[in-house]
Amino acid sequence: AQLAGRASVQLHTLIFFAGSEEGEGGGAKEEDAYVLDVETSPNSEPSFTVMVPRYGIEGRVRLSHIATKDNENLVRDPENHRLAYKDGKSGKTLASVAVFDKVRVKIWVRSSRDRRELIVDLLEPRALADSSVLEEQDRTSKKKKLKTK
């Protein structure tokens, strides 16, 4: 019964976030979230777990775009449970994420042929966010502004 309850919650969460933007109140959402856990192991993909209080869901934010192209500027600090990103030229920290920090995320559903998956992407701090996610966010916010005028 407990597994059936969890599966039901997961299904309804996917249905909600997969809904269209105009109808059903669903679709991709941008929300504030709080960092619960930071993966600082040097052998793992840089990522962290967030809790989105508005919906009561947890998700994993993956920073794979940094790991593949800019891993030398990523600072892993296991003692402080922190991931930081520094400027390659000056060495200054551009952004960091630590346990209990407030971040901005985008929640959406990735659909493939045989499954759906809830995805949580980082929007802020912008220095850590994936540029393709930010570009899409800028396009959708411009469309919304045009519709309200």
Side-chain angles (χ1 to χ4, degrees):
Q2 193 175 40
L3 291 176
R6 289 181 188 160
S8 175
V9 168
Q10 184 179 16
L11 173 66
H12 284 88
T13 301
L14 289 173
I15 290 170
F16 178 78
F17 286 108
S20 65
E21 292 284 337
E22 292 84 29
E24 306 157 18
K29 301 286 184 188
E30 294 177 12
E31 290 296 331
D32 291 331
Y34 295 93
V35 178
L36 298 179
D37 179 45
V38 179
E39 181 59 59
T40 57
S41 171
N43 300 327
S44 65
E45 176 184 50
S47 62
F48 53 93
T49 303
V50 295
M51 168 70 172
V52 184
R54 181 169 183 175
Y55 300 110
I57 60 173
E58 287 184 23
R60 195 85 179 154
V61 176
R62 301 184 191 292
L63 302 176
S64 54
H65 61 283
I66 292 177
T68 55
K69 68 173 183 171
D70 210 7
N71 201 27
E72 63 274 356
N73 292 328
L74 185 67
V75 179
R76 300 168 192 254
D77 184 2
E79 284 90 34
N80 296 316
H81 305 284
R82 177 181 302 274
L83 283 175
Y85 184 71
K86 63 180 182 174
D87 184 16
K89 295 177 182 170
S90 68
K92 290 184 179 179
T93 299
L94 299 174
S96 68
V97 174
V99 174
F100 302 124
D101 282 356
K102 185 177 180 180
V103 296
R104 188 91 175 150
V105 296
K106 178 181 178 182
I107 308 161
W108 58 284
V109 174
R110 178 187 301 149
S111 297
S112 64
R113 212 167 20 116
D114 56 343
R115 80 181 256 188
R116 289 177 165 182
E117 179 183 13
L118 191 67
I119 304 295
V120 182
D121 284 330
L122 183 67
L123 296 176
E124 292 177 16
R126 290 179 76 89
L128 288 173
D130 189 353
S131 59
S132 63
V133 174
L134 294 175
E135 289 167 5
E136 183 180 329
Q137 178 199 21
D138 292 342
R139 280 194 304 271
T140 56
S141 64
K142 286 178 185 177
K143 286 180 186 177
K144 286 180 182 177
K145 286 180 183 176
L146 289 175
K147 284 183 180 180
T148 57
K149 288 184 178 179

